[in-house]
């Protein structure tokens, strides 16, 4: 079971971190002179540690579903896959419903996900907030006890993708595993794509990876279509990245194997 991050078809993690923060006591923040305290922690009592762990060594085709399965039986509030310059780094943050869940999660350190062993270790709330600020279209997710730089502006957060070289190809990540070509065409209905050049990536066993490659009529049209980045298909928000013909061909080749 998941925490307040939302659930659909058993394995969906909600992308609306705002709702998660409003409904979970570990996300309560102080608000300047109002002296607001986290729920139940007034009168000088210190709240327990923020219930987050960091994962390292994840497979590069990893999705939040694999992470949820890796921590099966634990109550997960949020999963955040860490990207840099549009590429998955093999790291993730996982927020649990409470500190005891973290202790159980740490016992899974160096267990395997596929052929890779995954490191699970403690981290700080500010590390998670930093990652959220860099990844999610949301301003001000940090508490007043953290004296680092505030979250970057919207323009700064999207500068990496803006500066990347575009071709006619966009990569989609985070698709519902049931997504069909018709849903992708509908998603990009305001843009000119080539219907027969949509490839939904699959694993060798035929199961969808949650990724797809879409070819547009021009690099300029692909760049315009990036305005759909982090919009939703069903209950999932979809990330978009500039890609290449070679990357799309490799994905198509892997799907055929």
């Amino acid at each position: 079971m998941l925490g307040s991050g939302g659930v659909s078809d058993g394995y969906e993690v909600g992308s609306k971190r705002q709702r998660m923060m409003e409904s979970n006591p570990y996300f309560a923040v102080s608000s300047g002179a109002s002296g607001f305290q986290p729920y139940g922690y007034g009168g000088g009592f210190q709240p327990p540690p923020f219930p987050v762990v960091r994962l390292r060594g994840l497979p590069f085709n990893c999705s939040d579903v694999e992470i949820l399965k890796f921590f099966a039986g634990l109550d997960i509030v949020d999963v955040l896959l860490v990207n840099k310059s549009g590429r998955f780094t093999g790291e993730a943050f996982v927020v649990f419903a409470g500190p005891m869940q973290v202790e159980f999660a740490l016992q899974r350190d160096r267990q395997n996900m596929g052929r890779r062993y995954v490191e699970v270790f403690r981290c700080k709330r500010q590390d998670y907030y930093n990652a959220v600020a860099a990844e999610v279209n949301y301003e001000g997710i940090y508490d007043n006890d953290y004296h680092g730089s505030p979250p970057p502006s919207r323009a700064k957060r999207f500068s990496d993708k803006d500066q990347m070289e575009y071709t006619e190809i966009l990569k989609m990540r985070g698709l519902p595993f049931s997504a069909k070509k018709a849903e992708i065409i509908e998603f990009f209905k305001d843009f000119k794509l080539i219907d027969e050049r949509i490839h939904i990536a699959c694993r060798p066993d035929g199961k969808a990876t949650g990724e797809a490659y879409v070819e547009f009529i021009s690099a300029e049209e692909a760049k315009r279509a990036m305005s759909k980045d982090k919009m939703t298909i069903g209950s999932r928000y979809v990330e978009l990245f500039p890609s290449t013909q070679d990357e799309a061909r490799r994905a198509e080749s892997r799907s055929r194997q």
Side-chain angles (χ1 to χ4, degrees):
M1 172 181 174
L2 296 183
S4 55
V7 61
S8 171
D9 299 329
Y11 282 118
E12 293 280 355
V13 173
S15 63
K16 302 300 184 185
R17 291 189 171 86
Q18 173 68 41
R19 181 179 61 186
M20 173 192 74
M21 294 176 70
E22 290 171 348
S23 59
N24 192 293
Y26 293 97
F27 290 91
V29 298
S30 55
S31 55
S34 66
F36 178 72
Q37 295 293 328
Y39 303 97
Y41 302 115
F45 290 100
Q46 291 296 316
F50 186 72
V52 61
V53 299
R54 188 166 188 165
L55 309 185
R56 187 163 56 201
L58 293 164
F60 284 95
N61 61 354
C62 177
S63 70
D64 52 12
V65 173
E66 279 79 31
I67 292 174
L68 294 169
K69 290 179 178 178
F70 183 78
F71 289 120
L74 301 183
D75 191 4
I76 292 175
V77 173
D78 187 35
V79 173
L80 177 64
L81 302 174
V82 179
N83 299 290
K84 186 174 182 180
S85 299
R87 304 292 178 188
F88 179 47
T89 64
E91 297 190 3
F93 292 89
V94 182
V95 181
F96 294 91
M100 185 58 67
Q101 300 279 318
V102 169
E103 299 305 318
F104 289 128
L106 291 170
Q107 294 175 14
R108 304 191 190 186
D109 180 40
R110 295 184 181 272
Q111 291 188 14
N112 275 32
M113 183 182 293
R115 297 181 180 179
R116 296 180 66 97
Y117 75 85
V118 177
E119 295 177 82
V120 183
F121 52 95
R122 298 180 193 275
C123 66
K124 297 178 180 180
R125 172 166 51 181
Q126 67 190 47
D127 298 329
Y128 168 71
Y129 281 4
N130 261 353
V132 170
E135 184 73 14
V136 180
N137 182 20
Y138 175 71
E139 294 289 340
I141 308 181
Y142 65 107
D143 66 10
N144 291 346
D145 294 331
Y146 172 44
H147 298 292
S149 300
S153 67
R154 177 186 175 94
K156 174 65 176 175
R157 286 204 290 271
F158 288 97
S159 63
D160 285 342
K161 291 181 182 179
D162 289 341
Q163 292 171 8
M164 293 178 73
E165 184 175 347
Y166 280 78
T167 69
E168 298 88 353
I169 309 291
L170 289 184
K171 177 181 177 179
M172 306 178 74
R173 186 165 68 195
L175 289 166
F177 293 113
S178 60
K180 306 298 182 189
K181 186 180 290 188
E183 293 172 87
I184 294 174
I185 293 172
E186 175 65 19
F187 183 74
F188 288 118
K189 64 183 180 181
D190 297 325
F191 304 94
K192 297 177 182 177
L193 54 77
I194 303 172
D195 292 7
E196 61 271 20
R197 296 298 299 157
I198 296 173
H199 171 66
I200 298 175
C202 295
R203 304 185 197 281
D205 61 5
K207 294 181 180 179
T209 65
E211 297 182 348
Y213 294 83
V214 181
E215 184 171 339
F216 295 82
I217 62 168
S218 67
E220 291 75 18
E221 190 71 358
K223 191 168 185 177
R224 279 204 326 116
M226 279 294 295
S227 63
K228 298 285 288 185
D229 188 31
K230 291 187 170 65
M231 293 191 181
T232 58
I233 292 181
S235 61
R236 305 260 330 195
Y237 81 89
V238 178
E239 295 180 276
L240 302 179
F241 304 93
S243 186
T244 63
Q245 292 278 6
D246 284 346
E247 186 180 11
R249 277 196 292 266
R250 286 196 299 270
E252 193 167 357
S253 177
R254 285 195 298 270
S255 297
R256 290 172 178 167
Q257 291 174 358

